[in-house]
Structure formats: structure tokens, C-alpha cells
Amino acid sequence: MVVNLTETAAGLPEAWSSQRLGLVGEACVKVLRMDELPVGEESHRAAEALLVLDGRLELEVDGLPVSVRAGELFMVAAGTAHAVRPGSRGTLVIVELPEG
């Protein structure tokens, strides 16, 4: 199955609303569109991968600013508090284990 990630993200009804693309083993692969607005702090029981396809992801991780540019992957360790800072824009792929 071929998925155009940029087109899929652009077609989503709102920013930060992800589209589940499928599973790789137990891991869920999702794509979303970022829109410059912040997203509140969260943490997860399992690690997650954040891959920026285009644009930039501005994070705060354990209280420190982190910028992730197009073509870069950021690995969030399990249990790590992280939030999206203002200024994030572009297309993001998330690989994570379901929380349920």
C-alpha cells in the first residue's frame, strides 16, 4: 500500500487530528498536520517516534526546548513529559504503541 503522507495530512479536517495509517506489529503509524499552535504536555507508557517530513516540530521535553527539523526523527522515551511549543508547522508522522 502506498500512502502520500503530505496529501493525507493536508486533507485532514483539522490540525493535530491524526489519521491512523496502519500497524507495524503492535505499533500504530499515524500522520498529522501541525499548525503553529501549542499542544499541552503529555507522557506515554511506551516510547514514541516523531518524524518530521516537512516543516519543524518545536517541543519542550522535560522542561527543555527541542527543535526537530524536516527529515529528522525524535525519540521520546517512555514516561517522558513533552509538549508542543508554538511555531510547529508541517507534516508529522508518529509511531507509537496504543495506550489501551
Side-chain angles (χ1 to χ4, degrees):
M1 175 171 93
V2 175
V3 177
N4 184 313
L5 297 169
T6 304
E7 285 181 8
T8 300
L12 293 172
E14 58 188 50
W16 298 108
S17 174
S18 62
Q19 170 72 44
R20 181 178 152 175
L21 302 173
L23 296 173
V24 177
E26 294 184 22
C28 182
V29 179
K30 304 187 293 186
V31 66
L32 61 81
R33 176 173 37 86
M34 303 178 282
D35 72 347
E36 306 275 344
L37 296 177
V39 177
E41 184 176 274
E42 61 185 20
S43 64
H44 308 282
R45 292 179 309 177
E48 70 177 339
L50 306 174
L51 172 63
V52 178
L53 295 181
D54 60 76
R56 179 188 306 264
L57 174 60
E58 298 293 341
L59 294 172
E60 183 170 305
V61 181
D62 282 338
L64 299 173
V66 176
S67 292
V68 187
R69 296 175 297 194
E72 293 182 333
L73 174 72
F74 185 78
M75 297 296 297
V76 182
T80 300
H82 58 287
V84 177
R85 298 183 295 137
S88 298
R89 64 193 182 289
T91 307
L92 179 66
V93 172
I94 301 173
V95 180
E96 64 185 2
L97 291 175
E99 287 288 321

